[in-house]
Amino acid sequence: MNKSGITTNRISIEKPQLGETAAGKSGFTLLEVIIAVAIIGSSLAILLGAVNKNLLLASQSKNITIASFLAQRKMGEIEVEGFPEIGNQEGVFEEHPEFKWYLSVQPYNIEQLGTEIRLPGMRGTGSLQLRQPYRTTDKGFTLIEVLLAIFIGSIVLTVLYSSFFQINKAKDRIEEELDLYHESRIVMSKITRDLSTAFPRGLVNSTRTNIVTPFFLGVSENGQSKLSFTSLSRNPTQNAKESDQTEISYYLEPIQDSDLFALMRRDNPTMETDTGGTQYPLSERVVSFNLTYLAKIPDNGETPEFSSEWNSNETLSLPAAVNVNIVLRNPRGEDIPFSTMVVIPVVN
């Protein structure tokens, strides 16, 4: 009421501050929404980077497997061809031209034996602390801000989804290849171990034998190899009346409704019998399995001559080396060859 006795009503209207609603409640601003989307995009990018790193490690594991096969084969060739001369040599593998080999032969000083070599160790501790201060409010945002945030988020998610789809596809492919190379490594390792412990049963300190069954028989049927030999690779069961002598066989069995084969391994401690022992498949995606045999280590300058069959009843000996070639098929229908050479120590 003023001096004249008239009552006056006053209404005060205040303009809401930026980022506040008329109700006075606070919410997220456009800048905060964009930062949140950027954080999400960065997090997904880091995760995709980790997946990509895993793919690179898987590819490196594949290359290491191939390199180990090639190195083992090269060492076998060196043993077969004779000790190289002093000096350096290098070259590439014909079946894998992306891999190179280097050979260095240097005179060895016998006085170096017993020299103590110490490798420095690495010690260290570290910690990584991530602290993300955040603040939640009740601020609201306008329709334009929502549309801009959705637009930016959709672009980021589209790019990330496309990258994730491609990386996931590459991941599945590399995992399939790793399974194949892992399987081939197991097969080659098993064959190498068995052949390395082969022995001429019945020919110890003698040039004649009364054993009818060959102690090393390798034949080729329909373009595929079959091998049977005596070996010392068996691990006897504890408290069992068994020795480490056994008859090892490798052969192929066709897979029903498929053009592939199963590579079978038979371990029979009761030698010269067709019954007994255990047999199991080493691989069920074999395209071909071929073995060739070297009669003797050639002299310097001579070319090694391999044969596709071997019968110890005719040769009265073991082969000096066996060349193993196997072709496996991956899930995409591609045939991948693997090869190695196994030198039989007892012959040399």
Side-chain angles (χ1 to χ4, degrees), residues 285-326:
R285 43 182 168 185
V286 178
V287 178
S288 64
F289 176 64
N290 292 286
L291 305 174
T292 54
Y293 312 96
L294 180 65
K296 67 175 183 177
I297 303 296
D299 297 331
N300 293 334
E302 295 183 359
T303 302
E305 295 183 0
F306 289 86
S307 59
S308 59
E309 295 189 353
W310 190 275
N311 190 336
S312 60
N313 283 353
E314 299 175 358
T315 61
L316 296 179
S317 66
L318 293 168
V322 179
N323 194 16
V324 183
N325 295 279
I326 184 172

Side-chain angles (χ1 to χ4, degrees), residues 82-119:
F83 196 80
E85 298 180 355
I86 296 177
N88 300 323
Q89 301 178 25
E90 64 179 54
V92 297
F93 296 95
E94 296 181 358
E95 60 272 26
H96 292 280
E98 67 274 14
F99 289 88
K100 297 181 179 180
W101 59 267
Y102 298 91
L103 176 63
S104 178
V105 181
Q106 302 294 335
Y108 185 75
N109 185 6
I110 195 64
E111 295 179 357
Q112 295 178 358
L113 290 176
T115 302
E116 183 179 3
I117 300 177
R118 295 183 178 181
L119 298 178

Side-chain angles (χ1 to χ4, degrees), residues 15-158:
K15 183 179 180 180
Q17 298 295 327
L18 183 63
E20 295 183 354
T21 62
K25 296 182 178 180
S26 58
F28 293 106
T29 63
L30 175 61
L31 180 60
E32 293 173 335
V33 174
I34 294 177
I35 292 176
V37 173
I39 293 175
I40 295 175
S42 301
S43 301
L44 293 176
I46 293 174
L47 293 177
L48 291 178
V51 174
N52 188 40
K53 184 177 181 180
N54 290 335
L55 294 180
L56 294 177
L57 293 176
S59 178
Q60 184 180 7
S61 176
K62 169 189 171 183
N63 292 333
I64 291 176
T65 300
I66 298 176
S68 63
F69 284 148
L70 296 177
Q72 182 179 357
R73 181 177 180 82
K74 188 61 181 178
M75 292 298 295
E77 292 177 354
I78 292 175
E79 292 188 47
V80 169
E81 296 174 358
F83 196 80
E85 298 180 355
I86 296 177
N88 300 323
Q89 301 178 25
E90 64 179 54
V92 297
F93 296 95
E94 296 181 358
E95 60 272 26
H96 292 280
E98 67 274 14
F99 289 88
K100 297 181 179 180
W101 59 267
Y102 298 91
L103 176 63
S104 178
V105 181
Q106 302 294 335
Y108 185 75
N109 185 6
I110 195 64
E111 295 179 357
Q112 295 178 358
L113 290 176
T115 302
E116 183 179 3
I117 300 177
R118 295 183 178 181
L119 298 178
M122 295 182 62
R123 295 181 178 180
T125 57
S127 61
L128 177 62
Q129 297 181 353
L130 298 179
R131 294 182 179 179
Q132 180 67 32
Y134 61 92
R135 176 177 59 89
T136 58
T137 64
D138 294 331
K139 293 182 179 180
F141 42 86
T142 64
L143 178 61
I144 296 178
E145 292 175 339
V146 173
L147 294 177
L148 286 175
I150 294 176
F151 176 72
I152 296 174
S154 62
I155 293 177
V156 173
L157 292 178
T158 300

